[in-house]
Amino acid sequence: MSATTHQQDDPLNRDQRAELALQAAARIQKDGPRTALITGASSGLGAEYATQLAERGEHLVVVARDGEALEALAATLRAKCGVDVEVLAVDLLDPEGVRRVVARLESRTNPVSTLVNNAGFGLPLAFELNDIEAEARHLRIHNEVPMRLMHAALPGMLERGSGRIVNVASVAAFIPRSTYSAVKQWLVTFSRWANGRYRSRGVTVSAVCPGYTHTNFHERLGLPPGEEGIPRWMWLSAPRVVADSLRDLERGKAVSIPSVKYKLLTAAARIAPPALAARIGERGR
């Protein structure tokens, strides 16, 4: 799930960010710097992952279609955090764009040690009315593209005996909601398997499953801000989602569900009758 832009209700405070930065500095002194590649980095959770990883001292490769937004983000993070930021302005629905990102992941120069598969978009719930080519693109961006990028990143990570992969999924993976739930469920299932397969060899794979989060996702669907009808208590802030997911990643968790309320919701959804679960899924991403 995601959301339109609202004022964040639980951003990380300065003391928390300072503590994370100190932890990152100690790690860099011990293991050396890391480079993170983040897709969908021009806004929303992608930009927040870029920000928090840069604050932890990781160099970045930021990927999205909007080159202007990427350059602005890169300039800010270079100045603020003193890290190197590469910009890859590509369309991941274009095979050539994917090839460029795959080539970067396979490069042994400044190898990528953290991959964040965040790029994606949503569609209306009426599957029978949606353009089938849009549905095919939806499937490709959420499943085929992350699969190709993970396949490119894993050999180098395994050879080095170290790596981290974050697949941004959703609590929708546990709640029936048209093809969006289906593609997110694939990410969760594959991440569970991959973490079990590769964690003993130094590579952690984690599916992050946020609930309603303050980003611009719904605006991209053409929904005006503030009209989702979702109670305030259900909203999460992007900084908190990212911080919690990175903490779970460091702990080697295969699935990260930020906040207790969504842990409880997903547990209830697993045992709810299918018709009831589907009605819950009608409430949003």
Side-chain angles (χ1 to χ4, degrees):
M1 296 189 180
S2 186
T4 52
T5 303
H6 296 283
Q7 184 175 354
Q8 295 166 341
D9 53 3
D10 59 345
L12 297 182
N13 61 41
R14 291 182 180 179
D15 290 340
Q16 289 171 317
R17 288 187 181 272
E19 181 181 354
L20 292 172
L22 287 173
Q23 293 172 357
R27 176 191 54 72
I28 291 171
Q29 186 173 12
K30 177 183 176 183
D31 302 328
R34 290 172 172 167
T35 296
L37 186 148
I38 304 144
T39 68
S42 59
S43 64
L45 286 176
E48 186 61 34
Y49 272 107
T51 298
Q52 291 197 31
L53 289 169
E55 288 176 344
R56 298 180 187 205
E58 296 202 27
H59 303 305
L60 303 177
V61 182
V62 290
V63 180
R65 291 179 301 173
D66 190 340
E68 185 175 342
L70 288 180
E71 292 290 356
L73 176 66
T76 297
L77 295 180
R78 289 180 191 123
K80 177 182 177 183
C81 304
V83 298
D84 296 332
V85 185
E86 301 172 47
V87 170
L88 278 180
V90 301
D91 184 351
L92 289 173
L93 288 172
D94 179 355
E96 178 56 30
V98 175
R99 280 193 290 269
R100 288 182 60 190
V101 180
V102 164
R104 181 61 185 87
L105 289 167
E106 292 177 340
S107 174
R108 294 177 180 264
T109 303
N110 297 325
V112 171
S113 53
T114 303
L115 168 63
V116 180
N117 283 310
N118 170 72
F121 63 90
L123 292 172
L125 289 177
F127 170 73
E128 75 283 5
L129 300 178
N130 289 342
D131 178 72
I132 192 59
E133 294 306 321
E135 288 283 2
R137 291 191 294 272
H138 182 258
L139 179 64
R140 193 177 312 135
I141 197 69
H142 287 284
N143 292 165
E144 181 185 338
V145 169
M147 179 181 69
R148 289 182 180 276
L149 301 190
M150 284 186 279
H151 190 264
L154 274 168
M157 291 180 176
L158 293 170
E159 182 179 316
R160 294 186 296 273
S162 176
R164 307 181 301 172
I165 297 175
V166 176
N167 293 319
V168 178
S170 169
V171 296
F174 309 101
I175 303 170
R177 190 178 186 277
S178 191
T179 52
Y180 186 74
S181 292
V183 297
K184 294 302 188 182
Q185 189 174 82
W186 185 93
L187 278 176
V188 170
T189 300
F190 186 80
S191 297
R192 285 184 187 274
W193 173 84
N195 197 55
R197 175 80 173 182
Y198 301 118
R199 188 182 172 197
S200 64
R201 299 173 63 183
V203 179
T204 298
V205 182
S206 181
V208 181
C209 301
Y212 294 103
T213 305
H214 296 315
T215 69
N216 57 354
F217 178 82
H218 284 176
E219 288 182 42
R220 292 177 177 178
L221 283 177
L223 300 178
E227 294 189 9
E228 297 85 3
I230 307 302
R232 180 178 175 81
W233 65 267
M234 293 186 71
W235 293 97
L236 304 174
S237 74
R240 176 56 57 193
V241 167
V242 171
D244 286 357
S245 70
L246 292 177
R247 177 202 62 202
D248 287 344
L249 183 70
E250 294 291 349
R251 294 174 177 175
K253 290 190 175 183
V255 178
S256 172
I257 303 176
S259 87
V260 172
K261 55 195 170 189
Y262 279 106
K263 287 181 173 69
L264 294 173
L265 178 62
T266 55
R270 287 169 177 157
I271 61 175
L276 176 59
R279 285 198 296 273
I280 294 172
E282 295 285 327
R283 292 300 301 276
R285 180 186 178 196

